[in-house]
Amino acid sequence: MSRFHAMQVFVKVAETSGFAEAARQLNMSPPAVTRAVASLEDQIGARLFTRTTRTVKLTEAGVRYFDDCRRILADVVEAEAAAGGSYAKPTGVLTVTASALFGQDYITPILTEYLDQNPEVNARALFVDRITNMVDEGIDVGIRIGDLPDSSFSAIRVGAVRRVVCGAPSYFEQHGVPKHPADLAKHRIIVSTASWASLDWRFGGEGKPVVRIAPRLSFNTYGAVLKSTMLGWGLARPLSYQIGQALIDGDLQTILSEFEEEPLPVHVVHPEGRRASAKVRAFVDLAVERLRANRSIN
């Protein structure tokens, strides 16, 4: 077995935390997988795994070697792809992530247009309201809302969104319009129970008030929050992109605009940098053009 193949086997064992599962995924026999790892350990002169009857864990040397092997294998795959022309023509599978509503309303139309333009590409979309680990989850492109942490990822700013308080015209006719964030204590509040949601609503403007809200109605999906708000039952505090069409149609109105916090930037990010494959470059170019032209985030 070549050193390169043995490294592939070692990486798969580390990723699956098991020799038997690695053998299954690689379509190899368990003894062949064991021999490949043992051969690497002999050549390196160090143990790569600590094995018990129940667990397989990387040793300290194994952790370092695992990181190096993944980098080396990725470089080989990239070199082969470049030689084969996939860096000149979009091919393969593109994986894109965004938050649930943003992905549904803003990225889906871009993704379908992209697939029409690139018939040799298939796409996988991961629209979730959590921060994904793009490298570990095999994601090519992400759309991030909010300030970005320092990283080696390429990031292109395409717009900004605001956190706004809103309600239906029928609600304001019946209950009045709050003039200050403190007035929200007298109103029906609708919230999402997402893990990142907070009952402390922070505002900008004079004094930068913080209001502890007492919601009358809670939902586990933001779509339900927006639906009940448009029905005129209460007030909600979404991001502006989530109600873009409802504002245009007049179904919702924003209030307390003078107390809004600074807008949150929207970026298209990808981990490949200048060496991005054609499928990634083509999608990023299209997404940047379409998102920058979208009134709801610009």
Side-chain angles (χ1 to χ4, degrees):
M1 180 180 294
S2 70
R3 174 75 71 90
F4 178 74
H5 189 201
M7 291 168 64
Q8 290 177 310
V9 173
F10 161 70
V11 167
K12 183 60 67 175
V13 173
E15 290 176 341
T16 60
S17 299
F19 283 72
E21 179 60 20
R24 186 187 69 80
Q25 293 189 20
L26 293 170
N27 197 26
M28 296 172 61
S29 68
V33 170
T34 301
R35 286 194 299 270
V37 173
S39 174
L40 277 179
E41 290 178 328
D42 289 342
Q43 294 171 13
I44 295 168
R47 289 287 294 249
L48 298 174
F49 293 104
T50 299
R51 306 169 180 84
T52 69
T53 56
R54 294 185 177 181
T55 62
V56 175
K57 293 184 178 180
L58 287 167
T59 63
E60 184 176 346
V63 171
R64 294 195 298 269
Y65 192 61
F66 174 65
D67 290 338
D68 289 338
C69 282
R70 287 212 301 181
R71 175 180 50 78
I72 291 168
L73 294 175
D75 286 344
V76 171
V77 170
E78 182 178 293
E80 291 176 344
S86 69
Y87 276 67
K89 182 179 181 180
T91 60
V93 178
L94 179 81
T95 303
V96 179
T97 189
S99 59
L101 280 177
F102 194 93
Q104 172 185 296
D105 294 343
Y106 294 82
I107 303 305
T108 296
I110 298 172
L111 197 54
T112 53
E113 179 183 358
Y114 166 82
L115 292 177
D116 286 339
Q117 295 176 0
N118 300 280
E120 294 187 30
V121 180
N122 295 325
R124 182 174 72 96
L126 183 62
F127 296 155
V128 290
D129 290 325
R130 63 175 174 84
I131 300 298
T132 53
N133 187 314
M134 294 182 62
V135 174
D136 289 350
E137 298 184 51
I139 296 169
D140 298 301
V141 183
I143 290 79
R144 300 293 200 213
I145 298 174
D147 295 322
L148 296 176
D150 292 336
S151 75
S152 59
F153 290 3
S154 293
I156 304 172
R157 180 163 174 155
V158 293
V161 297
R162 300 155 18 241
R163 193 171 294 282
V164 299
V165 179
C166 68
S170 59
Y171 178 88
F172 296 127
E173 291 174 4
Q174 184 176 356
H175 300 279
V177 179
K179 302 300 182 184
H180 187 276
D183 297 338
L184 294 172
K186 306 172 185 176
H187 288 263
R188 295 175 174 178
I189 303 298
I190 309 169
V191 299
S192 164
T193 56
S195 59
W196 47 264
S198 173
L199 296 181
D200 289 326
W201 284 7
R202 300 179 180 277
F203 292 87
E206 185 177 354
K208 296 185 176 180
V210 179
V211 177
R212 183 75 173 180
I213 53 108
R216 288 284 313 281
L217 183 57
S218 302
F219 290 101
N220 69 326
T221 67
Y222 221 93
V225 172
L226 298 179
K227 181 66 174 180
S228 57
T229 306
M230 286 190 284
L231 289 173
W233 194 87
L235 305 179
R237 198 186 190 200
L239 292 173
S240 55
Y241 80 84
Q242 295 172 321
I243 59 171
Q245 191 59 47
L247 292 176
I248 294 172
D249 295 340
D251 295 328
L252 291 175
Q253 297 174 357
T254 60
I255 59 171
L256 302 174
S257 58
E258 66 270 33
F259 293 98
E260 290 177 7
E261 295 180 293
E262 288 296 314
L264 299 171
V266 180
H267 290 90
V268 175
V269 302
H270 63 95
E272 295 188 27
R274 293 181 179 179
R275 297 187 296 178
S277 61
K279 67 178 181 182
V280 170
R281 294 198 308 271
F283 180 79
V284 168
D285 289 346
L286 181 63
V288 168
E289 180 182 354
R290 294 292 181 263
L291 291 173
R292 283 180 172 170
N294 195 304
R295 291 175 52 196
S296 294
I297 61 173
N298 286 282

